């Protein structure tokens, strides 16, 4: 087909998000999320990343690999519209789209090169562990940051308050956890990861999210998210 091409990952992301449920729906909503891109064989030369650290933010172009076999439809129901109004797939950031490509701006923390291996530490990503990265480009604010009309998504999502039970606080205080773990839990749960249709009703279900090697169990009480307990997996 005209212009068709085959692409392969240049890197693979390691991320605290081990399941799609609870991943923020856009980047930079959870700055405490820390990840690492390891460049793949054939691309892992330090020359590839020379001067990259002079930029604070990067564009990642990646594949929604978890959905690869699930196809796409011309109309989708974005969570922002309550999950029941249909809109054109190209008017959304839906993960079910032709070619399954995603793009996110993330913070560059540092570039680590040793023995000809290259890792790029990033934060604030909205991506699943194992996401294939097809390209990386510097974010250039004079061109990329624009005053714009943003359709049905004009503002960042509303946040809920997050409270910890004494069991959950004890777990955080008594274990050696990944950097900024507690902040990550707050940033993730404050967005209320439940499907949009659940957010309108009373809900006494206990939910779990899997971050790093931990399960976080939580409930919604009134307008607040309560972390019940945290377990190592
Ligand atoms: N900023 C990107 C992604 C927006 S959708 C873009 O605009 O293209 C973000 C959602 O993608 C996350 O909430 C998560 O549910 C989903 N996701 C993240 N990584 C994924 C992957 N590798 N495969 C499938 N879905 C993924």
């Amino acid at each position: 087909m005209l212009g068709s091409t085959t692409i392969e990952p240049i890197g693979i992301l390691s991320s605290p998000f081990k399941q799609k449920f609870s991943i923020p729906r856009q980047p930079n909503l959870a700055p405490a999320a820390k990840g690492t891109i390891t460049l793949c064989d054939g691309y892992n030369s330090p020359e590839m990343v020379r001067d990259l650290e002079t930029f604070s933010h990067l564009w990642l172009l990646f594949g929604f690999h978890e959905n690869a076999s699930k196809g796409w439809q011309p109309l989708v129901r974005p969570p922002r519209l309550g999950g029941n109004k249909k809109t054109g797939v190209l008017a959304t950031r839906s993960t079910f789209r032709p070619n399954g490509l995603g793009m996110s701006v993330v913070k560059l923390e540092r570039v680590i090169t040793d023995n000809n291996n290259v890792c790029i530490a990033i934060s604030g990503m909205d991506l699943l562990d194992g996401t294939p990265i097809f390209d990386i480009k510097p974010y250039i604010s004079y061109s990329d940051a624009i005053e714009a009309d943003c359709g049905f998504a004009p503002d960042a999502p509303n946040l809920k308050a997050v409270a910890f039970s004494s069991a959950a606080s004890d777990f955080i205080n008594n274990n050696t956890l990944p950097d900024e773990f507690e902040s990550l839990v707050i940033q993730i749960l404050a967005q209320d990861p439940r499907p949009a249709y659940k957010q309108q009703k009373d809900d006494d279900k206990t939910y779990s999210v899997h971050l790093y090697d931990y399960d976080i169990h939580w409930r919604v009480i009134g307008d607040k998210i309560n972390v019940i307990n945290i377990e190592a997996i």
Side-chain angles (χ1 to χ4, degrees), residues 20-21 23-27 62-67 93-95 101-104 126-128 130-132:
K20 282 199 297 178
F21 178 57
I23 303 179
R25 297 201 172 102
Q26 287 304 329
F62 59 88
F64 291 114
H65 74 303
E66 184 102 331
N67 297 350
R93 298 289 189 94
S94 170
T95 63
L101 293 175
M103 41 177 257
S104 294
D126 52 349
L127 304 177
L128 193 61
T131 295

Side-chain angles (χ1 to χ4, degrees), residues 106-162:
V106 298
K107 184 158 188 277
L108 171 60
E109 297 287 344
R110 63 189 185 284
V111 175
I112 307 136
T113 53
D114 77 78
N115 297 332
N116 277 350
N117 281 324
V118 182
C119 292
I120 303 169
I122 59 169
S123 62
M125 66 283 162
D126 52 349
L127 304 177
L128 193 61
D129 190 42
T131 295
I133 308 296
F134 293 120
D135 206 353
I136 298 171
K137 304 189 189 198
Y139 176 85
I140 297 174
S141 57
Y142 75 79
S143 172
D144 296 344
I146 305 169
E147 274 290 310
D149 292 333
C150 297
F152 59 81
D155 299 306
N158 292 329
L159 298 180
K160 289 198 159 84
V162 179

Side-chain angles (χ1 to χ4, degrees), residues 3 5-6 26-27 33 43-45 48 56 67 71 90 101 114 119 130 158 163 172 188 198 205 208-209 211 215:
T5 185
T6 305
Q26 287 304 329
Y43 304 100
N44 65 348
S45 109
M48 294 280 282
S56 66
N67 297 350
L90 300 185
L101 293 175
D114 77 78
C119 292
N158 292 329
I172 288 174
I188 293 303
K198 292 261 190 186
K205 190 174 157 187
S208 298
V209 307
L211 294 176
D215 264 336

